[in-house]
Structures are given as structure tokens and as C-alpha cells.
Amino acid sequence: MAYELTSERQAFAEVLEHEIKKVVRMVRAFPAARFDRKNAECDRSACELAADFARHVRRIEELATGRPAEPARGTLRARGEILLDLELAYLGAHMALRAMPPFRWGQVVDAPAGLAPWRQARRGELLWLALREMVRHDRHFGVHLGAARDGGEGPSGGSVAARRVNPVLELVEAIA
């Protein structure tokens, strides 16, 4: 059984690393002229959304260690600061996952507020849920990136809100 937990933990670490690389590419690819602008259909700018990625990664570190992670740095406005903060958060989460003994993956722990519909769950399940929330945030950021590249319109001419509720279009864009 410990082998399966180690394997699941390794799979989680690999998926997390892949997602972080994808996030870094998207943040770097965002047009600089639109990075601080709020979209008409969303009350957050790409800069604010990008800074939230480190918060998601810190939550993963907190779940892995069972103690609060290093708090986020102050308000980050420059793309380089955001990427540095994300990298530091990832290093903390990565080290916490590597140092975590296999038995801790299966421990039942209290679920953080807003992450799970349960009061308690296995640490591994909560980690996967936290990663899923980061992927959802990644998709939201991707919608902003697509709109910024298209001048506010999606490839089909639809608005950002229309693209957000069309999962087929999101899937096609992800593959392209």
C-alpha cells in the first residue's frame, strides 16, 4: 500500500510541475500593454489573477506540511515579481511534497475553508482538490490571455463571458 501512495504522490508532483510550467508560459505570454487592465466582463486584471497563482501553490504547501506556508509578499505589480513569487511558492510546495512521509498522504485532516465540501478528508484528496482549483484559475487566466491577444474578442467573435461558458471552445483552444 505504501508503494501506491508513493506512486500517487509522484504523479501529483509531476502534474503540479507541468501546471506550474504552463502557468509561467501563460504569464510570460500575456501582452504587457494589457497586463494591468481589467477586462470589461471581469473585475480583475491579469496581473491580479497571475498573483493568485502563488496563493494556490501555497495552499498546496500548507496541505502537504500541515502548517501555514510563508505568507505572500505584498502587492505585486511587476510581472517579474509575480513570477519570482510563484517560483518561491512552487519550491516550497515541491520540497514539502518530497519531504512528506508516505503515510501522511493518507492521513485524514481538517479541510481548509472553501476547498472541500467535507469537514475532513484524506490529505491526498485535499491536495488533488487544491490542484484542481489552481487548474480552474489557470483556465480563467487563459480566457483573459485569449481575449488580450484577440483585442477583447474571442476567435469566434464572442465575448470573454461567452467563451467562459463554452467548454467545447475552451477545449479546442487548449488543443490548438
Side-chain angles (χ1 to χ4, degrees), residues 80-103:
E81 290 176 327
I82 291 170
L83 290 170
L84 177 62
D85 193 39
L86 178 60
E87 183 177 347
L88 292 173
Y90 172 70
L91 288 174
H94 178 73
M95 294 308 296
L97 289 167
R98 289 188 56 106
M100 184 172 63
F103 75 88

Side-chain angles (χ1 to χ4, degrees), residues 6 59 67 113 118 122 126 130 137 161 163-164:
T6 301
R59 176 177 260 180
R67 64 183 188 287
W118 319 288
R122 272 187 342 114
L126 293 172
H137 188 74
R163 291 175 60 208
R164 191 178 312 128

Side-chain angles (χ1 to χ4, degrees), residues 56-173:
H56 286 283
V57 177
R58 281 191 185 86
R59 176 177 260 180
I60 290 170
E61 179 184 357
E62 289 176 6
L63 286 167
T65 61
R67 64 183 188 287
E70 180 181 317
R73 297 177 8 178
T75 304
L76 304 174
R77 301 305 298 170
R79 187 186 318 243
E81 290 176 327
I82 291 170
L83 290 170
L84 177 62
D85 193 39
L86 178 60
E87 183 177 347
L88 292 173
Y90 172 70
L91 288 174
H94 178 73
M95 294 308 296
L97 289 167
R98 289 188 56 106
M100 184 172 63
F103 75 88
R104 292 199 64 203
W105 186 266
Q107 278 182 328
V108 175
V109 296
D110 290 334
L115 183 62
W118 319 288
R119 219 177 60 121
Q120 294 181 325
R122 272 187 342 114
R123 185 183 313 274
E125 292 168 344
L126 293 172
L127 284 163
W128 284 109
L129 286 173
L131 183 58
R132 183 187 70 182
E133 290 302 313
M134 188 178 97
V135 169
R136 284 183 178 165
H137 188 74
D138 168 338
R139 290 180 182 153
H140 183 152
F141 187 84
V143 169
H144 281 257
L145 176 59
R149 285 181 171 169
D150 298 335
E153 296 285 323
S156 64
S159 68
V160 174
R163 291 175 60 208
R164 191 178 312 128
V165 298
N166 188 341
V168 174
L169 182 58
E170 286 183 6
L171 180 60
V172 169
E173 288 179 357

